[in-house]
Amino acid sequence: MAPKWWHDAVVYQVYPRSFCDSNNDGMGDLRGIISKLDYLKTLGVNVVWLSPVYKSPMDDNGYDISDYQDIAPEFGTMADMDELLEKAKQRDIRIIMDLVVNHTSDEHPWFKEARKSKDNPYRDYYIWRKPNADGSVPDEMGSVFGGSAWEFDEQTGEYYFHIFSKRQPDLNWENPKVQEEVHKMMNWWIDKGIGGFRLDVIDLIGKEIDNKITGNGPRLHPLIQQMNRATFGNKDVLTVGETWDATPEIAKLYSNPEREEFSMVFQFEHISLTWKNGDKWTPIPLDLPALKRVLTKWQVELADEGWNSLFWNNHDLPRIVSKYGCEGQYRVESAKMLATTLHMMKGTPYVYQGEEIGMTNVAFDSIEDYRDIETLNFYKERTANGVSPDAMLAAVHENSRDNGRTPMPWDSSDNGGFSAVQPWISTNPNYPQINVAQALEDKDSVFYHYQKLIALRKSMPVIVYGDFQPVFEEHEKVFGYLRCDDAQRLLVLSNFSGEAVDIDMPAHLCGVEVEPVIHNYEAHTYLPTQVTLKPYESFAVLLP
Ligand code: TEU
Ligand code: CA
């Protein structure tokens, strides 16, 4: 595969409203991000994915855009954005914009026009259907955020379609004008010198509503190839599509360079394993063998065709130490173990703000303390349908998107030093212990572990391009794999349990001196016939 700059890149995701508040209004902003660029440089990342900063009524924290070419005033101005691009560039950091084009805000001028009359020139920018004869909704399709996907609009007496909130009407991608407008807007950002796009729920744009098809519709890949040709195709940028239902076969369609679509996609199979029958509000414990099977499948199947993205966290997901590691006694060890497991695999790693200091889930006592539209809608819907408020709050503690959205704790001062005033959502109460200042002072912190992993990727080609081979495939507690190229063989072993585990090493992997690469307990320099892994121990070593 022809090498690309993003093959050995590590991306850091910033959720602007929760990152750093420069003017003490309780809301993170662009100047706050600018003030932390040196911190990101110290960590070693070379790409920042910025969650949406565009003008927006913030019904879904900016994933509802009312002007794609302006900045939300709470985040700053276009001059601040230009300065961020410039100062990031000085530090060799590229900025990737979040492109949310499955839908707009209901306050976007296109939608305001569209709803005025059935013959408005913008009407077909969105998806409208007549009520049934009895006045009821066109069909039973539901919104991801609860309730119907159809909203009745009084003015013209028709329903419009929205997969997310009713304030996020879906664009009609069958309309060539929509395609042209979006391409034009993307080129405007590319000309500003951005490093690429993260494409929000892009797998939904090929939908066929009348056949009840939303994800992976028949028109999806032609639309993406057309977008590629019209915009970023001949530019040296990173593009990553958010594709919840991708299988490896589908991911190859997107990311095989010959097809000229995206650099890579986010798949979520390794994330939804703890959702009972796909329902995040019915959490179940992790089945480690299942996680191993999923991670292995993606590594093996995208080996020669396509490219993986590697992530544990983002702004929609609970914190990984709380889910697959240990929040208590072994927080630091398990955060490092999870980081090593992910970062030694093949693909482009993404670090979500706060992951690099081992931030945990939050458990607010009252639903009043939550802000996320999805969490609040489902709390209301499920408790109205008989789920007890306590059970629902427990599910929120486990899987609410707000777990990943509490303000970044920079130090142990009030509100974790994020802001001088009460932030838009409360800080995790554990900020006096878990914060950036503490992590930077402690040479054994999770932060320095991430820093090392990122540096290793830049210096060891075997991590970037080596083959992936699972070892101990049947083991209930340990995940292990080898990464090999012509020059080196790297062995990675991780204990996903809170107990020590003895493993019998296969003949070809023992009785040898090894070179330690990274570890979260003492280094191993020799592999005996039986290796004992301490609780959440993980290490990578080079075999002779
Ligand atoms: O997320 C897509 C999405 O489907 C999530 O809302 C996810 O399904 C949900 O959290 C699982 O319960 C993207 C953005 O990342 C998210 O923040 C937006 O709310 C959503 O699209 C709409 O733009
Ligand atoms: Ca602010």
Side-chain angles (χ1 to χ4, degrees), residues 20-30 74-75 418-419:
C20 179
D21 177 15
S22 72
N23 61 346
N24 294 315
D25 62 355
M27 177 77 62
D29 45 57
L30 290 173
E74 51 269 68
F75 293 149
F418 164 80
S419 176

Side-chain angles (χ1 to χ4, degrees), residues 60 63 103 145 198 200-201 242 280 315-316 374 401:
D60 184 20
Y63 284 88
H103 45 270
F145 290 162
R198 175 266 186 188
D200 190 68
V201 289
E242 187 203 23
K280 73 192 278 187
H315 65 293
D316 292 333
E374 180 190 59
R401 306 199 297 182

Side-chain angles (χ1 to χ4, degrees), residues 298-315:
W298 280 88
Q299 287 290 297
V300 170
E301 297 207 19
L302 265 63
D304 306 312
E305 219 184 303
W307 191 257
N308 271 297
S309 58
L310 308 171
F311 70 98
W312 287 129
N313 273 126
N314 68 31
H315 65 293

Side-chain angles (χ1 to χ4, degrees), residues 295-439:
L295 293 173
T296 300
K297 175 176 79 181
W298 280 88
Q299 287 290 297
V300 170
E301 297 207 19
L302 265 63
D304 306 312
E305 219 184 303
W307 191 257
N308 271 297
S309 58
L310 308 171
F311 70 98
W312 287 129
N313 273 126
N314 68 31
H315 65 293
D316 292 333
L317 302 176
R319 294 284 178 180
I320 200 63
V321 271
S322 301
K323 294 299 288 186
Y324 295 177
C326 163
E327 280 187 352
Q329 190 185 355
Y330 297 116
R331 182 184 67 87
V332 170
E333 290 80 359
S334 66
K336 292 178 182 174
M337 178 280 285
L338 289 162
T340 301
T341 305
L342 193 80
H343 282 245
M344 293 292 111
M345 287 195 279
K346 185 171 176 182
T348 299
Y350 290 73
V351 180
Y352 177 63
Q353 66 182 44
E355 180 184 335
E356 79 281 17
I357 56 169
M359 279 181 80
T360 67
N361 273 358
V362 71
F364 295 130
D365 295 334
S366 158
I367 192 69
E368 307 287 314
D369 293 323
Y370 287 86
R371 300 288 175 265
D372 168 34
I373 182 171
E374 180 190 59
T375 305
L376 299 176
N377 284 359
F378 275 96
Y379 183 88
K380 214 164 131 191
E381 190 175 295
R382 297 281 169 102
T383 53
N385 290 334
V387 177
S388 80
D390 282 353
M392 198 51 201
L393 197 59
V396 166
H397 292 165
E398 193 74 30
N399 278 342
S400 167
R401 306 199 297 182
D402 279 341
N403 282 305
R405 299 179 181 185
T406 61
M408 185 77 177
W410 294 100
D411 56 39
S412 58
S413 67
D414 289 355
N415 307 310
F418 164 80
S419 176
V421 302
Q422 167 64 28
W424 67 276
I425 187 170
S426 294
T427 314
N428 192 317
N430 62 19
Y431 76 80
Q433 294 79 46
I434 304 174
N435 61 66
V436 171
Q438 182 283 328

